[in-house]
Amino acid sequence: MSSTAATSSKGSHLSRIWVIATHTFTQLVRMKVFYFLAVFAVIAIASNFFDLPQHEGPEAVGANVLRSIKSWSLGAMTLFSVVLSVVATALLLPKDAEDRTLYTILAKPVPRFDYLAGKLLGVLLLVFVSLALMDALMTAVLQVRTNMVVAQQEEMAKAMGWPQDAITSLRNETLESGPNASLQGAVFAVFLRASIMASLALLISTFSSSTLFTTIVSFLIYFIGHFQADARNLYLHSGEAGEGVFARLASLLLSLVLPDFQLFNVIDAVIEGQVLPMIAVAKLALVGLYYAVFFTIASWFIFADKEF
Amino acid sequence: MPYEQALGNSLRDAGLFPPALQITTRDKIGQTSSAVALGGLRTLVATFLNLRAFTYFTEQRWQDVEETFNTIVDLAPHTRYYWETGSWHMAYNAASYYINDSKLPPLRRREAWRMSILKGRVFLERGIRNNPDDWSMLASYGFLLSDSNKYPAFRDKNASFAAAADAYRKADATGKALGYVKRSAFYALARVDGREAEALAEARRLYAQGKINHTPTMKALLFVLQAWENPQMDLLASAIEIFETPENAYEALSAHWERTRDGFPVHGVSKAIVLLEERLAIPKDQSVLNKPLPPPGGPDEWFR
């Protein structure tokens, strides 16, 4: 094959995947999935009202409510994104088969890998847009509330006769609890976890018999994935406590196949005010990319020989 | 797998990875919350538990408040608010409740009051061990140990003030503390018997830093410690030099004389007041020295 033909083939692969992805995105949007944003808006605004009394001076005013907004919002984002990625992916193949769209597409010169990759990309696009909208809402609410807290603290500090340098120091400390790069890194970690779940659900849906089965198994694996580190430790330190061969093999299998979802719990540290370095985000992105690619290729192996 | 292991270790080293959830914590929060916490929403569970703890606080269920905050800090060990609020509920709210709890006899009320303060102290110490660089927790600890309503709960008053001064200094050493922390460290140090020379040196250092540190307490303590260093000094001249006018000196030293509950030293204060009264022609019957001192308060009075 000439290089021009190879480039053309590569280009057509990408364009096919993109067409399927945008179609999938449109298909999912028409299912009115964005209605959950109204629920998220209520959660983000409601989290403003849990400003419990504190015990001391200006530095304590509003300290809890800023964390409460981040905690509630990132919690809701995690929940919505994981549910959305699993349920949306679980729906896709059975729905295409039911609507007979799948047969129409596969009857054309569309490689099965392109079809799967397009479907996955469509779901990821939906999750990304959803998270971006939730992130924008959270950032707006947090920014407004941070400004209010800073104003309250300054007013109280001035009334108590604090010197200007102390007020400035307090202001800077409070602003660190507002929207920042680490918070965006945490939202990206939420997206990565949802991406892995979407690709995992895609893999399960290639051999599952129903949407319900895919959803249930995906969520089970989601929770098991939070114990992957325990399985890994068991394997790496096997022999110390006299585990049997079966336990060793099972822990090895779990460690190799399942992602360690605990890694993405860095969002808790960000809510607690820790700084999330870019390098940590990049390393998490590598983990996300590895599992997304691994599960997609595994889906392709199964889907490639599937008879319809 | 090795990559995930290494990444997990590096995140743990950077303080971005929470410690594993204790089995006792899992039991306390129940299966559903455990699942949510394991699903990466530990801080969210902590937020809800904090709301529950607030309800317990309003219902004055102090044992439940304590248990809930112990669970909360297992879930979110790096959140200053939870450590400070939990300690505050134990050392201040529960302790104050027992001062007025008419259902218990005085001796048991006194013990419950003391235990609540000690629990608040221990809780804050745990918070500091988990967050050694947090200036606010260190300052809160210093405040608790030097609080005039709390230090009688500790066996050794001198050791409490010394520990308070140490905590404030550590808070200041983080480089993030607000300006009052330096002065608070000095106020605690000034009350430690046997460290007067160190306190005087600190007073002079802070005083030389400018008007920001020229608070009434700082001026009074500078005067008192100078009188301790040199009992033969001219008290009147020294008081006027520090307080600028005899009127200011009389007002400030009288206030210092009446602060019996704070445990501040009073070297030379009564003599200076006498001299200032002569200078200002204040009649003997109006002398602050002839007025009854405010009751010292404290457990001996509360639990009679």
Side-chain angles (χ1 to χ4, degrees), chain B residues 9-11 27 39 44 90 101 103 115 164 167 174 192 229 275 283 296 298:
Chain B
N9 289 340
S10 70
L11 290 174
D27 287 346
L44 188 62
M90 292 175 218
D101 182 8
K103 293 193 290 292
M115 283 309 296
T174 61
V192 182
E229 184 190 41
L275 293 170

Side-chain angles (χ1 to χ4, degrees), chain A residues 50 52-56 59-60 63-64 67-68 71-76 78-79 162-163 165-167 169-170 173 193 222-223 226-230 232-233 235-237 251-252 255-256 258-277 279-280 282-284 286-287 291, chain B residues 1-12 14-18 20-21 26 32 34-48 50-54 57 72-73 75-85 88-89 92-93 131 135-136 139-140 143 175-180 183 212:
Chain A
F50 291 94
L52 301 180
Q54 246 277 14
H55 54 292
E56 281 177 57
E59 69 271 26
N64 185 42
R67 194 186 47 266
S68 173
S71 173
W72 286 46
S73 302
L74 280 171
T78 303
L79 199 65
W162 281 28
D165 64 330
I167 295 175
S169 163
L170 177 63
E173 191 169 290
R193 177 151 48 189
Y222 177 71
F223 281 107
H226 284 89
F227 293 100
Q228 194 257 33
D230 296 328
R232 197 175 61 221
N233 282 333
Y235 174 73
L236 291 174
H237 301 106
S251 58
L252 175 65
S255 312
L256 286 174
L258 296 185
D260 179 0
F261 283 122
Q262 290 267 14
L263 292 174
F264 299 94
N265 288 354
V266 290
I267 60 170
D268 276 327
V270 172
I271 293 168
E272 290 194 276
Q274 308 278 324
V275 175
L276 183 62
I279 186 73
K283 285 177 178 175
L284 284 173
L286 273 181
V287 174
Y291 280 107
Chain B
M1 184 168 67
Y3 180 80
E4 285 178 318
Q5 179 79 9
L7 180 56
N9 289 340
S10 70
L11 290 174
R12 190 169 286 110
L16 292 165
F17 218 50
L21 209 55
R26 291 183 196 181
T32 311
S34 288
V36 174
L38 286 167
L41 302 169
R42 288 170 67 142
T43 47
L44 188 62
V45 177
T47 304
F48 285 115
N50 184 39
L51 296 176
R52 188 187 292 175
F54 184 74
F57 159 56
I72 289 171
V73 295
L75 290 164
H78 298 300
T79 303
R80 170 197 298 171
Y81 172 85
Y82 295 137
W83 291 108
E84 290 187 338
T85 306
W88 173 58
H89 281 313
Y92 290 81
N93 297 324
N131 304 276
W135 75 268
S136 181
S140 297
F143 187 81
K176 297 173 192 165
L178 296 174
Y180 76 86
R183 292 192 295 278
I212 193 166

Side-chain angles (χ1 to χ4, degrees), chain B residues 148 151 255-264 293-297:
Chain B
S148 57
Y151 72 74
H256 187 79
W257 178 251
E258 290 181 318
R259 288 177 75 177
T260 50
R261 290 174 64 184
D262 291 318
F264 284 120
L293 286 170

Side-chain angles (χ1 to χ4, degrees), chain B residues 227-295:
Chain B
W228 167 84
E229 184 190 41
N230 176 17
Q232 310 306 319
M233 83 173 184
D234 183 344
L235 294 171
L236 190 61
S238 175
I240 294 171
E241 185 193 347
I242 292 172
F243 295 102
E244 293 167 8
T245 64
E247 289 80 4
N248 286 348
Y250 184 68
E251 192 182 338
L253 289 176
S254 298
H256 187 79
W257 178 251
E258 290 181 318
R259 288 177 75 177
T260 50
R261 290 174 64 184
D262 291 318
F264 284 120
V266 288
H267 306 290
V269 174
S270 60
K271 283 183 187 170
I273 287 175
V274 170
L275 293 170
L276 284 163
E277 283 175 347
E278 283 172 11
R279 172 76 172 265
L280 297 168
I282 294 172
K284 285 271 182 212
D285 59 325
Q286 288 179 25
S287 167
V288 71
L289 298 174
N290 290 330
K291 287 182 191 169
L293 286 170

